[in-house]
Amino acid sequence: MKKVLIGGVLLAASGMAMAEAPGGPNCGWGNMVFQGQSGLIPHLGASLTNGTSGNATFGMTSGTNGCSTDGRLTYGGKEMISSLMGELTEDVARGEGDALNAVAAVLGVAAEDRAHFAQVTHQNFERIFPSADTDVDSVIAALYAVMAEDQRLAAYAA
């Protein structure tokens, strides 16, 4: 059951990650046509324009249509980590577990580095969770700080 729950959270998180603006914030004819407008209708119109014509995909591969692939897609994972805080705390304390593995995946840690991630976070448990009421923002900041200081994990924190 626990794995199904975490799998569901990861699936939801990956959908949210796809919601970031691939190709940059100004990519596609939809953004050009509806530039400067806000609200549901312009956003749906821009999304439909970009999604049905393939111009955003073309723009990303050709560097046209206001698209750029230089930016880094990000997903902080705050909602997902927040939903797993209790289990994540236990997993970091043990140095293993599904929640810890899920958080590593959301933070972009490659599968071959997740055991090392688990070891490093376990060694820094008190730094990541300095008190019982540590909030998710502090946990995420501490995770990135710990990763940045580790030679093998630093690339994931950049």
Side-chain angles (χ1 to χ4, degrees), residues 21-32 50 55-57 59-60 64-68:
N26 301 313
C27 183
W29 295 342
N31 289 30
M32 294 177 189
N50 288 342
N55 69 78
T57 305
M60 284 187 269
T64 60
N65 298 337
C67 302
S68 170

Side-chain angles (χ1 to χ4, degrees), residues 116-156:
H116 182 70
F117 174 82
Q119 179 186 14
V120 168
T121 55
H122 174 68
Q123 291 168 345
N124 288 281
F125 176 84
E126 291 184 13
R127 193 167 155 204
I128 297 167
F129 300 100
S131 68
D133 56 350
T134 303
D135 64 23
V136 68
D137 292 325
S138 299
V139 169
I140 292 170
L143 283 170
Y144 277 116
V146 165
M147 291 168 61
E149 294 172 5
D150 183 85
Q151 187 175 18
R152 190 167 162 187
L153 300 175
Y156 302 110

Side-chain angles (χ1 to χ4, degrees), residues 5-156:
L5 178 64
I6 290 174
V9 169
L10 274 177
L11 184 61
S14 66
M16 295 166 102
M18 294 300 289
E20 289 293 326
N26 301 313
C27 183
W29 295 342
N31 289 30
M32 294 177 189
V33 170
F34 295 95
Q35 181 179 5
Q37 299 181 33
S38 62
L40 180 61
I41 299 301
H43 278 264
L44 286 174
S47 180
L48 287 171
T49 302
N50 288 342
T52 57
S53 66
N55 69 78
T57 305
F58 175 76
M60 284 187 269
T61 56
S62 65
T64 60
N65 298 337
C67 302
S68 170
T69 55
D70 293 339
R72 186 175 191 172
L73 296 175
T74 60
Y75 171 67
K78 182 177 177 179
E79 292 81 12
M80 190 278 268
I81 293 172
S82 180
S83 70
L84 296 173
M85 278 288 279
E87 193 170 354
L88 177 63
T89 305
E90 294 172 10
D91 285 359
V92 171
R94 282 194 311 262
E96 64 179 8
D98 293 335
L100 184 56
N101 197 39
V103 168
V106 166
L107 295 178
V109 177
E112 63 268 17
D113 291 331
R114 291 185 191 155
H116 182 70
F117 174 82
Q119 179 186 14
V120 168
T121 55
H122 174 68
Q123 291 168 345
N124 288 281
F125 176 84
E126 291 184 13
R127 193 167 155 204
I128 297 167
F129 300 100
S131 68
D133 56 350
T134 303
D135 64 23
V136 68
D137 292 325
S138 299
V139 169
I140 292 170
L143 283 170
Y144 277 116
V146 165
M147 291 168 61
E149 294 172 5
D150 183 85
Q151 187 175 18
R152 190 167 162 187
L153 300 175
Y156 302 110

